[in-house]
Amino acid sequence: MMPTAPTLPAGVSQDALLAALRPLCWGAADILRAYSRGEQPPYGFPKALSVDDGGEGPVSAADLAVNQWLLDGLKQAFPEAGWTLLSEETAKEQLTEGQPLPADWLWILDPLDGTKDFLQGTGEYAVHLALVQGRRPVLGVVLLPEADELWIGLVGEGAWCEDRQGDRSPVRFSDRTAVSELILVASRSHRDDRLVKLIDTLALGGSKAVGSVGYKVATILRGETDLYVSLSGKSAPKDWDMAAPEAVLLAAGGAFTHADGELLTYNTGDVRQAGCLIASHGKAHAALEEIATRAMATIDPGFQV
């Protein structure tokens, strides 16, 4: 059963919010593409200086510029909105360990998800914007600057992809349903022995390695792959890595849970999304949860899935 359609903060309409998010996202894409190519970025942001020259390097410059662009844009578009803005770049100043932010409505932003891919020029990096109410996402945006794809998901209403002209294309989940047929989207790095053993136990139909979490989920939305598994503890992905991709995937009718079926929660006082997390098109999700939970009990009996 699909979740109920999202409500929004008082005074914020869905049409107005989407109308504001589109130019913000495409502006962020232009900023990141310029930095990735060593070009002069738009909107008055400074060109990146190398660390050797006393600058902060292209990643830091891009992170900081897009962070400012997004935060300023949301504040200017909705000065009276009753929400709080949190990004990866502001988290150190805003967050206290163990204490959730006192916000019913919270934006969780990642100005640049996929730093290695940004530096290596693979193009498989993303920008994440998620609007969370309480501890659960209601809206997600995953921007893929190099692919010119803007994935938007309204939980309970649906998800789609837009190009720069505003033309929409639908989610295209694959027709694969048997676990033995499913294609895994995996990281090029972040693999430990436990994850290798778990993937071997799942006995899937194949795998594809790509960059950021947002880019991974986009491959599921396009039907190129079917599931993503995150297995981690102290070095786990953070709220800003997962919130927007989860929202888009849920809005599309997919699933994103812990292996034991528990939902991901945000703004809990601990930004780490630790455990065994499974994102999928949903068609074999219960079977994946069951196999993964049973397997982890053998692979690492003390691991909290």
Side-chain angles (χ1 to χ4, degrees):
M1 187 175 73
M2 289 285 288
T4 57
T7 57
L8 293 171
V12 178
S13 73
Q14 180 176 303
D15 289 343
L17 182 54
L18 293 179
L21 287 173
R22 290 183 181 102
L24 267 184
C25 288
W26 293 121
D30 291 338
I31 295 168
L32 287 170
R33 286 166 64 105
Y35 278 117
S36 72
R37 290 157 174 75
E39 299 171 354
Q40 177 64 49
Y43 312 115
F45 290 105
K47 192 172 182 178
L49 297 175
S50 71
V51 175
D52 292 339
D53 292 332
E56 295 178 300
V59 172
S60 292
D63 265 326
L64 294 172
V66 174
N67 182 68
Q68 183 181 335
W69 171 256
L70 295 176
L71 293 179
D72 289 351
L74 284 169
K75 290 173 184 175
Q76 291 167 9
F78 301 97
E80 306 299 326
W83 53 42
T84 298
L85 306 178
L86 170 70
S87 80
E88 181 179 12
E89 296 300 322
T90 64
K92 286 184 180 179
E93 292 77 36
Q94 286 182 268
L95 298 179
T96 301
E97 182 70 25
Q99 297 182 19
L101 288 171
D104 184 41
W105 289 95
L106 178 67
W107 279 102
I108 301 177
L109 313 177
D110 191 343
L112 175 55
D113 182 56
T115 300
K116 288 183 180 178
D117 288 273
F118 181 81
L119 281 173
Q120 293 170 359
T122 70
E124 295 168 2
Y125 61 90
V127 179
H128 296 171
L129 301 90
L131 182 59
V132 171
Q133 183 184 28
R135 294 187 175 185
R136 296 288 296 146
V138 298
L139 179 151
V141 178
V142 173
L143 167 70
L144 307 182
E146 301 293 344
D148 270 345
E149 292 181 358
L150 182 61
W151 291 92
I152 300 173
L154 294 159
V155 178
E157 292 196 18
W160 65 91
C161 183
E162 293 187 7
D163 61 18
R164 284 180 180 260
Q165 289 70 47
D167 294 330
R168 294 188 181 188
S169 55
V171 171
R172 302 180 299 274
F173 286 146
S174 84
D175 294 327
R176 295 179 286 269
T177 57
V179 171
S180 61
E181 299 174 330
L182 301 183
I183 305 300
L184 173 78
V185 58
S187 299
R188 294 189 181 91
S189 54
H190 306 300
R191 292 199 192 193
D192 63 13
D193 290 341
R194 294 175 304 180
L195 181 57
V196 171
K197 290 176 182 177
L198 174 58
I199 292 171
D200 287 345
T201 303
L202 289 172
L204 303 166
S207 66
K208 177 178 181 177
V210 303
S212 74
V213 178
Y215 209 98
K216 289 180 176 70
V217 168
T219 68
I220 299 174
L221 296 166
R222 295 191 208 106
E224 299 165 4
T225 67
D226 306 299
L227 75 150
Y228 160 59
V229 178
S230 173
L231 187 65
S232 56
K234 291 183 179 180
S235 62
K238 309 297 192 296
D239 282 3
W240 40 83
D241 297 309
M242 298 302 201
E246 184 198 356
V248 178
L249 189 60
L250 288 183
F256 204 148
T257 66
H258 286 263
D260 61 3
E262 287 295 311
L263 297 176
L264 281 65
T265 53
Y266 301 94
N267 192 29
T268 64
D270 182 356
V271 297
R272 296 173 301 172
Q273 292 291 341
C276 181
L277 313 182
I278 303 172
S280 82
H281 60 17
K283 299 178 182 181
H285 200 80
L288 291 168
E289 289 176 336
E290 181 180 352
I291 297 169
T293 299
R294 189 168 61 244
M296 288 307 300
T298 300
I299 294 167
D300 187 349
F303 188 81
Q304 294 295 313
V305 300

